[in-house]
Amino acid sequence: MMKRQYPTLAEVAKVAGVSLMTASRAINNRPGVSPEKREDILRIADEMGYVVNRAAQKLTGARTRIIAVVAELHTPFTSDLLLGMGAVARAADYEMLVYSLPVRDRRPPGSILDLLRQIVDGVIVILPYESDYLESMATAHIPVVTIEQGTESVFPSVTADNYQGGLSALQHLIELGHRRIAFISGHDRLTSARDRRRAYHDILAQARLPYDPDLEVDGDFSRKGGFEAAQKLLALADRPTAIFAANDISAYGAIAAIREAGLSVPGDISVVGFDDIPIASQLHPQLTTIRQPLQQMARASVNLLLALVAGLDAPSEQIVLPTQLIVRESTTALKAKRKKEEAVKVGVGR
Amino acid sequence: MMKRQYPTLAEVAKVAGVSLMTASRAINNRPGVSPEKREDILRIADEMGYVVNRAAQKLTGARTRIIAVVAELHTPFTSDLLLGMGAVARAADYEMLVYSLPVRDRRPPGSILDLLRQIVDGVIVILPYESDYLESMATAHIPVVTIEQGTESVFPSVTADNYQGGLSALQHLIELGHRRIAFISGHDRLTSARDRRRAYHDILAQARLPYDPDLEVDGDFSRKGGFEAAQKLLALADRPTAIFAANDISAYGAIAAIREAGLSVPGDISVVGFDDIPIASQLHPQLTTIRQPLQQMARASVNLLLALVAGLDAPSEQIVLPTQLIVRESTTALKAKRKKEEAVKVGVGR
DNA sequence: CGGCCGAACGTTAGCGCTAACGTTCTGTAG
DNA sequence: CTACAGAACGTTAGCGCTAACGTTCGGCCG
C-alpha cells in the first residue's frame, strides 16, 4: 500500500550526485565525507523530506536510537516516571516507546522483549512486583534495566530507597513523641511494600518499642484497604497515636476512617503516608509523606540503559536513590498529657 | 552485538527440510502448504524458538500486526483508555505500543508518525485539544484514527458525547428543581470543555432560564481552579443552588471551597462533575457525575483502526459514543421553601 | 620524481523477510 | 494416452540500509 511517498537514501544520494554510502555517512554524521559535501547532502535530504527507515537500519544490526519501556501503565507513578524518562531520552536524541503490560497478566510477556529487540536498542522494565518472567527476559539479547525490582535483580536496576524512606517516616513519628505506632501494610508481592514493612519492624527494635501484632494491619495499598485497616486499629482497646501507611492512597483511606469515628488528624492520630502523590499537597489534611525521587529514577535508568546500549559494560549496577520526608499537616507532636501516659505504659524509648 | 541467537526463517526451513517460502507460508497461515508439512514446520519453528523479525517483515511492505497509540500519558483517562485498547488489540492478535507525547509540546510531533509508520500498521492519536499538527499528520501515509478531536477531524475519529453529557448533567439538576445553576468551565483549548460549555448555554435557553455571566467561572479543569471558582460563586449576593463543574477534579475543588465556607454538599449546594474518575465513587461525598464510555471508546477506536489497516475503506467515520449520568450523593432536590422563593424570583422554567 | 599514505569517496554483499513468478507432480477429462 | 489444470512447493529479486572492503587521488617524504 501507498508506496513511493518517502524518498530512500538512494534517491537522496542520486539527487545529491553522490553514492549511497556517502549519503549514509553524511546523514549518520560519520567521518569520510568532506564538510561541503556533507552539508550539501543534508540540505538535499531535508528538502526531499528524507526520513531514515529504522526497520531497515535495525535489520542491518545498527542502532535505531529508540528505547522502550515496559510498564503497568496505571500503577501510581508510572506516568510520572515515563514522562521523565521520555524527556531524558529525547534530550539524548533517542525516542521512547512504551509497552503497556496487561494488568496482572499471568502470562509471561517475555515474548515482548523478543518483539522489542527487533525495534529498539534497549528496554527499561518497570515491575513493581517480583516476577518469574524476569528470568525469561534474561535470554532476550538486548540491554535491560529494571526499576523497582529490589536488590536481587539479575539486571542493572534503579530503585527508590523504600527501606530508608520507611525509617524516615517512622523516625519522624518517634521524634514527635509517638510510641504506639501502627503500620498499614501493602501487598507483600511488592518489593517496595516489603521494604517498608521491614523498616517498621527494624525501627521498633531500634527504638526499643515493643512489637504488637495488632498494630500491623494489611491495607492492600488501596483506599478501601486503608479505611478498613484503620477501623480495626480504632477498635483496639489501646489504640495507636500514630499510623504509618505504606502508601498515600491507603493513608487517605485511614484518615477517612479516623474522621468518621469522630477523631481528628493529626489532633488525635498522626498519619504518615508514602509516595507523595500529587494530591497529597492538595487534599485536606495535606499529607506528611515520603517523596519518591521519580525524576532522578527516570534520569538514572535512562542513562544507565544508554550506557549499556553504547556498549559500556556497566557492571550489573544496582542504583538506590534516596527518598525525602515531606512534613505537612497530618502529623503533630503527641500531646504532653498523653505522652506522659504513654511513657509510663510503654517505657521510654531509646 | 550479540548475533546468531535467534534462528531465522531460513534456518527453520532448513531443519524442516523445506524451502524458505514454504516455511513462510506455513508460519503466516497462508495457502499452498499441505496440512502435514504445515504442522511439521510450526512444530519445528516452535522448538527452535523462532520469532518473526518484524523489522524485516515491515521492510518488505507486509503487516507487522503492531499498532501504536500516541497520547499525553498523564491526561486523566489515557491510562484507562490505553488499557482498554491494549486488551482489544491483543484480542485481535495485535500488539500495541504507546508513544508518550511530551507535555504541551509546542513542536509538532508529526515526525513521530514518520517514525511509527516504519514499525506499525496503524496509529491512534489521542489529542484532547485541537492541534495544528494534526494536518501535518495527514501526509504520513499510514492509517490514523483520532480520539477526542471533535467532529472537525480530517481522520476517522471516536469521541464521547460531551455535549449530550453536559445536557444530562444539567437536566438532572433542573429536574431536582434547581434554577440558579452555575458552571465551572475548563480550558477552551479542549474540545471537550467547549462542548460542555455549549451544553450549559443551550440548556439555559431550553429551560428558559436567564443566562447570568456571573454564574460562569473558569475552573481550569484543576482542583485549585475549581476551589477558587466556587469561592467566587459563593461570594455572589445571590449564590447558585447548584454547580455543574466541567470535570470531576474541579468539582471536588469546588466542594472543598463550599465546605470551607461552612455550607454542605448537597444540603446547600448540589454539585455535578464530569468524567467519573475512579475516586468519584470513593471520596466523600460520592460524586454525581457523567461517565465517559472509555471501554467503548477503546474498542471502537481499535476496531476502526484495524478495519482501516485491513484496507476496508471505512469512510472518514466520526463515531460519537453516549455518556451516562451517574447519580450519587452530591446532588439533591432543591428544598421546598427555597424552591418557592426561586420560582418567584426567576420565573418558572419551561 | 617514485612511492606511499590517508582522506574521500564507491562497490558489494547481505540483514530476514515476502511478492511474484517458476517448477514439479498428481489427478482427471477428452 | 495426451493434455492440462491446479495444488504444492522452489527460486529470484528486492525492501532500505550499513559493514567491509575497494578505488581514486592529492600531498608529502626521501
Side-chain angles (χ1 to χ4, degrees), chain A residues 194-215:
Chain A
R194 281 206 307 276
D195 285 348
R196 293 170 198 180
R197 172 208 296 284
R198 196 156 51 82
Y200 176 66
H201 290 165
D202 287 2
I203 204 101
L204 290 183
Q206 189 185 318
R208 298 178 200 285
L209 294 175
Y211 171 67
D212 180 350
D214 283 347
L215 290 184

Side-chain angles (χ1 to χ4, degrees), chain B residues 104-231:
Chain B
R104 309 203 179 179
D105 190 14
R106 289 278 149 264
R107 249 185 354 175
S111 61
I112 265 314
L113 287 204
D114 288 339
L115 168 72
L116 292 175
R117 54 176 282 285
Q118 302 167 352
I119 299 171
V120 304
D121 296 343
V123 179
I124 296 176
V125 181
I126 307 180
L127 270 188
Y129 45 87
E130 263 176 36
S131 166
D132 308 332
Y133 52 66
L134 251 195
E135 284 143 40
S136 78
M137 292 180 168
T139 59
H141 297 263
I142 182 174
V144 173
V145 170
T146 61
I147 289 213
E148 284 294 329
Q149 255 301 306
T151 44
E152 333 83 19
S153 178
V154 273
F155 299 104
S157 83
V158 174
T159 177
D161 196 337
N162 287 290
Y163 177 70
Q164 185 57 50
L167 290 184
S168 315
L170 290 156
Q171 197 63 49
H172 169 64
L173 291 175
I174 286 176
E175 278 163 13
L176 288 174
H178 294 280
R179 291 295 173 269
R180 195 154 168 78
I181 301 171
F183 178 54
I184 296 181
S185 62
H187 326 261
D188 260 10
R189 190 174 80 108
L190 305 186
T191 317
S192 58
R194 281 206 307 276
D195 285 348
R196 294 170 197 180
R197 172 207 297 284
R198 195 157 52 81
Y200 176 67
H201 290 166
D202 287 3
I203 205 101
L204 290 183
Q206 188 186 317
R208 295 178 202 286
L209 295 174
Y211 171 67
D212 179 350
D214 284 346
L215 291 183
E216 185 172 339
V217 190
D218 181 36
D220 185 45
F221 267 179
S222 72
R223 199 186 149 80
K224 183 153 169 281
F227 186 90
E228 289 166 2
Q231 284 184 325

